[in-house]
Amino acid sequence: MIGSVQCNSGPLSTSHITAMLRSLARLHFRRSASSLFQISGFLLSPFAVALTTTNNRSCKMSSSCSISLQPPPAPATTRRPTGPVPFLEYPSPNATSANISSNSSTTKPKRYLLFFISGNPGLIDYYAPFFSHLRSLLNELESKSFSSASPGQQPITFHIYGQNLIGFSDSDHAPFAPGSPETEPFVLEEHISHLYSSLLDLNQKSGGFDQIILAGHSVGSFLALEILHRSLQSSSSSSPSLQLPISTALLLFPTIHQMHLSPSGLHLSRIRSIPFLNNYAHVLAKSFVDLVPGFALRWITRRVLGMSEHGSEITTKFLQSRDGIWQGIHLGKDEMGVIRDGEGRWGWWSSSPTSSSSSTEQNTSMGDDGAEVVAKEIETIESDWEQLEVDRRIRREHTNTQNQEHCEQRQGQGQIQGKATEKPRFFLYFGQNDHWVADKYRDEFIERRKREGHTGKEGGTKIVIDEDRIPHAFCINHSEQVAEKEALDLEG
C-alpha cells in the first residue's frame, strides 16, 4: 500500500528536512534543474543515489538511454470537479450602466474578456498581484478610450478572469486514491475540457463578449492553444453558444513544444526512469512536508527561497493541502508525455502525419532529424482559421443567392460571424535560459515563424525573448514587471 511506504535511509535530521523543502519548492519556482534528485536522495539507499547520480552524468536522452515518457493513463470518461473551483475576477469599473451613461459617448463599449490560465501548480491565487496591477493599468487604458472616443466610436472595457486548475483545491474533488485513473489526479485532457466549458459558460452568462483574449502561463499556454484550436473547430457549428470570439493569445513563458527536452524536463524524465520514484514521489514528498509545521514552511519559503510574502503564503497552503502535491506531480508527468511533437493523445500539432508509435521512437532517439522538428500549434490554428473563413464565405455566397428574407439572414450572420472574422494574434514572451523550455527548439520555432512571414504586424505573431532576467515563475516576485509588458501588448 502506498500509505505504508517507509524511509529506509535512517532517521532524518533537521538539516535534511530543510534541504528537502528547499529542493521541493525549487522544483516549481526556481531555476534549479537538479531539485527533484535532491528530494529523492534522502529517500533512497546509497546504491540508488549513486545510480541516480550516474544517470545524471551519462544519460543525455540519446538512443542509448531509453526513458519511458508515456503520460499517466487517462480515465475512461472525462471527469468534472465535484465542488466549487476557486477563481479570481476583476471586472471593469466602466462596465456598469451608470459609468457608461455618464460618459459623453453614447456608443456601447467594446467588451474584452481576458481569460487567464495558470501554470503548474494551478493555484490562481499566485497571480493576484499580477491581476491587481494589470487591472490598474487597464483602468488607465479604458479611461483614455472613454475620454478620447468621438461620437459613434467604441470605447473599450476589459474583464479579467482566472480560475484554479482542477485538482489543486481540496474542495473541488473527492480525495484522490491510487490504483485507477478514475480516482487519481486530473490529467491535461480533463483540464482542457473543464476550462473550455468554463469559458463557454462565462461568455454566455455575460451576454457575450465582443472579443476574448486567452492568456496562459507555462503549461497554461499549451492549454490556451488547445482551447483556441477546439473553439475554431466548433465554430462551424450552427449553435451560436459554441462560437467564441477569441482574437488574441498571450503566452507567457510558454511550454508548448518538446517540454521533455528542456533542462528541467530532462531531469524529471530521468527521475521517472526509476519506477519507485515514478510511482511514489508524491507520497514521499508529502510525507516529508507533513513533518514540518506551517510557520517553518513559511520561514523557509520566505527566507531561504526568497519568495514574496504573498508567494510564501500561497506556497505554504499548497504544500499543506491534502492533494496538491500529488496533483502537481501527476500533471507534470502528463506534461512530459503530451507536450511534444507528434506525441500523446492529440495529433493536431504533429509535423507529419505519423503514427503515435513511430513518433515516440523518433522523439526518444532525437537524432539529427529531430533538430529540424518545430512546433506546429500556431500554424495549425491559423490553418483552422483560414478554413473557417472559406466555410463562412461559402455560406455568405449561398445566402446572397436567396431572395426571401435576404436582409434578415445577412444581418443575423453578421452578428454571429463578425466577432470571429479577425485572424487570431499571438504574443509569445519567452524567458531567457528558461529551465522548462528547450532553447534549441524555441530558436528554431522563432526562426521558422520569421522565415515564413508569420511575425510582425502583418504576420499576426509577436515573439519576445526576455532581457530582464525575469524567471519562469514570474508570479512569485515579478508580477508588476510582467503586467506592464502585457498591458503594452493589449494597448497595441
Side-chain angles (χ1 to χ4, degrees):
M1 296 295 292
I2 291 181
S4 63
V5 174
Q6 299 292 328
C7 176
N8 298 322
S9 305
L12 293 170
S13 65
T14 302
S15 61
H16 280 171
I17 296 174
T18 302
M20 185 282 302
L21 289 172
R22 182 173 184 175
S23 300
L24 178 63
R26 281 181 174 177
L27 171 64
H28 298 286
F29 306 116
R30 299 297 293 270
R31 294 181 178 272
S32 173
S34 62
S35 55
L36 193 53
F37 287 99
Q38 296 170 15
I39 297 172
S40 307
F42 297 112
L43 311 172
L44 302 174
S45 64
F47 174 78
V49 174
L51 178 62
T52 301
T53 305
T54 302
N55 285 341
N56 271 336
R57 295 174 180 174
S58 62
C59 179
K60 301 299 181 183
M61 290 299 289
S62 64
S63 58
S64 61
C65 182
S66 177
I67 293 179
S68 174
L69 286 172
Q70 294 302 314
T77 58
T78 301
R79 296 168 295 173
R80 301 292 183 185
T82 57
V85 179
F87 67 92
L88 292 177
E89 193 167 20
Y90 294 77
S92 166
N94 297 302
T96 63
S97 57
N99 288 339
I100 294 174
S101 61
S102 64
N103 190 272
S104 59
S105 173
T106 58
T107 305
K108 182 180 179 181
K110 189 173 185 178
R111 299 168 62 236
Y112 287 85
L113 168 66
L114 188 128
F115 189 86
F116 189 90
I117 305 173
S118 77
N120 182 9
L123 297 167
I124 199 63
D125 282 341
Y126 273 121
Y127 301 90
F130 170 73
F131 290 155
S132 179
H133 191 59
L134 182 61
R135 177 71 271 169
S136 64
L137 295 173
L138 294 181
N139 288 347
E140 297 177 6
L141 183 59
E142 290 181 14
S143 297
K144 291 179 182 178
S145 73
F146 272 88
S147 61
S148 62
S150 58
Q153 184 179 3
Q154 279 187 294
I156 57 176
T157 62
F158 292 91
H159 186 105
I160 302 174
Y161 180 91
Q163 64 177 228
N164 270 22
L165 298 183
I166 52 177
F168 284 95
S169 171
D170 292 340
S171 63
D172 68 16
H173 63 278
F176 296 138
S180 169
E182 309 295 334
T183 59
E184 292 181 346
F186 296 99
V187 295
L188 274 171
E189 170 60 29
E190 293 173 302
H191 289 287
I192 295 168
S193 178
H194 173 71
L195 287 166
Y196 186 39
S197 297
S198 297
L199 179 55
L200 285 170
D201 292 342
L202 182 62
N203 189 55
Q204 279 187 294
K205 291 177 181 178
S206 70
F209 289 94
D210 294 293
Q211 288 192 21
I212 295 175
I213 301 165
L214 285 181
H217 172 220
S218 190
V219 69
S221 298
F222 175 83
L223 300 176
L225 286 175
E226 181 67 20
I227 290 171
L228 177 52
H229 171 73
R230 295 186 184 191
S231 174
L232 289 173
Q233 285 187 322
S234 65
S235 290
S236 58
S237 168
S238 59
S239 174
S241 64
L242 297 178
Q243 300 181 12
L244 292 170
I246 301 175
S247 62
T248 306
L250 296 175
L251 311 179
L252 304 175
F253 303 87
T255 55
I256 57 176
H257 180 61
Q258 304 290 18
M259 190 175 180
H260 65 296
L261 296 178
S262 66
S264 288
L266 287 171
H267 283 280
L268 185 56
S269 299
R270 293 166 191 150
I271 282 293
R272 292 189 60 198
S273 69
I274 303 173
F276 178 76
L277 291 179
N278 188 45
N279 294 328
Y280 301 119
H282 65 281
V283 178
L284 302 173
K286 180 60 175 170
S287 298
F288 277 120
V289 169
D290 286 345
L291 296 176
V292 185
F295 74 88
L297 289 175
R298 292 183 182 88
W299 184 87
I300 292 170
T301 53
R302 187 83 171 93
R303 302 300 180 185
V304 179
L305 298 180
M307 293 184 181
S308 65
E309 184 176 352
H310 176 80
S312 173
E313 187 66 28
I314 303 304
T315 301
T316 300
K317 291 180 180 179
F318 163 67
L319 295 174
Q320 291 181 319
S321 66
R322 183 190 65 221
D323 295 327
I325 291 177
W326 190 1
Q327 176 63 71
I329 293 177
H330 195 80
L331 180 58
K333 289 160 63 174
D334 203 25
E335 294 170 35
M336 294 300 106
V338 171
I339 305 180
R340 54 202 337 233
D341 195 271
E343 178 73 0
R345 291 182 294 277
W346 308 290
W348 58 269
W349 68 87
S350 178
S351 294
S352 60
T354 56
S355 65
S356 177
S357 59
S358 62
S359 298
T360 302
E361 294 174 0
Q362 292 174 357
N363 285 324
T364 301
S365 61
M366 290 310 300
D368 295 336
D369 294 340
E372 298 182 2
V373 177
V374 294
K376 299 291 290 181
E377 296 90 341
I378 294 177
E379 287 91 336
T380 304
I381 289 173
E382 290 172 336
S383 176
D384 290 340
W385 176 85
E386 290 169 358
Q387 183 60 49
L388 182 61
E389 284 298 288
V390 171
D391 294 340
R392 286 179 177 139
R393 192 178 304 114
I394 293 173
R395 289 198 298 270
R396 285 197 298 267
E397 291 175 355
H398 178 71
T399 302
N400 290 336
T401 61
Q402 300 183 22
N403 296 324
Q404 295 182 349
E405 299 179 352
H406 171 74
C407 295
E408 291 81 358
Q409 293 177 15
R410 186 67 176 268
Q411 182 180 6
Q413 283 199 354
Q415 290 174 350
I416 296 175
Q417 297 170 1
K419 293 184 180 181
T421 54
E422 295 183 12
K423 188 174 184 178
R425 297 186 304 158
F426 300 91
F427 295 88
L428 290 84
Y429 192 88
F430 287 102
Q432 196 174 59
N433 300 319
D434 190 333
H435 61 104
W436 283 114
V437 174
D439 289 351
K440 175 181 179 180
Y441 297 99
R442 176 202 67 190
D443 295 341
E444 287 180 356
F445 167 72
I446 294 174
E447 181 59 32
R448 173 173 177 156
R449 297 294 291 177
K450 289 181 178 178
R451 185 171 62 248
E452 297 182 358
H454 294 298
T455 56
K457 292 184 178 179
E458 299 299 326
T461 300
K462 178 181 177 181
I463 302 175
V464 174
I465 298 180
D466 169 61
E467 296 181 354
D468 297 327
R469 297 186 177 276
I470 298 176
H472 182 87
F474 74 88
C475 55
I476 299 299
N477 290 315
H478 297 80
S479 293
E480 292 188 359
Q481 284 179 268
V482 176
E484 289 168 2
K485 295 176 185 295
E486 292 315 299
L488 290 175
D489 290 333
L490 293 173
E491 186 175 6

